[in-house]
Amino acid sequence: PISQLCNGRLLNRRLGLLSASAATLLVSDPFLSLYRDADIEAMSLGWDDPSAYGYNHVIDDPSMGFTRFCHGSRIVGYEPNLFYASPTIEAVSVARRMGDRMRAAGGGAPLPSIR
């Protein structure tokens, strides 16, 4: 399925794609957990809501005057072994970029995971 995703064929046919690695064990219907509010939904490695979905980390530095608040987002990480791609124009664009990068890395071989 990842090769189909990376050239956008399934998404162009208005079909969503759930991609799971062979080591993924599904104990319930994964489609019940999807929000379908994003072009690509990925599983998180977080252990609670702030680590799974991210949170806004704010630092207050009064010496910076009116720009004293520094905001940043924190999230533990996304798990590339389970994700859902919606059939949207944006998801097709991401899929094509993924395919281009995979081909550039060695003839269609997947890029190594960064953990």
Side-chain angles (χ1 to χ4, degrees), residues 19-108:
S19 179
S21 74
T24 302
L25 175 65
L26 301 174
V27 295
S28 64
D29 183 356
F31 292 98
L32 298 176
S33 300
L34 296 174
Y35 287 93
R36 291 184 173 88
D37 63 347
D39 300 308
I40 296 180
E41 292 184 61
M43 181 174 64
S44 170
L45 297 172
W47 53 87
D48 59 8
D49 280 354
S51 63
Y53 302 110
Y55 66 95
N56 191 11
H57 180 73
V58 182
I59 297 173
D60 180 10
D61 184 356
S63 69
M64 296 295 289
F66 73 95
T67 61
R68 65 189 277 174
F69 297 105
C70 177
H71 293 260
S73 290
R74 290 191 180 186
I75 190 165
V76 172
Y78 289 115
E79 176 57 55
N81 293 323
L82 180 63
F83 66 89
Y84 175 76
S86 297
T88 63
I89 293 169
E90 292 80 7
V92 170
S93 176
V94 169
R96 288 190 176 143
R97 285 195 306 270
M98 285 172 53
D100 291 345
R101 289 192 64 194
M102 288 172 62
R103 283 184 287 281

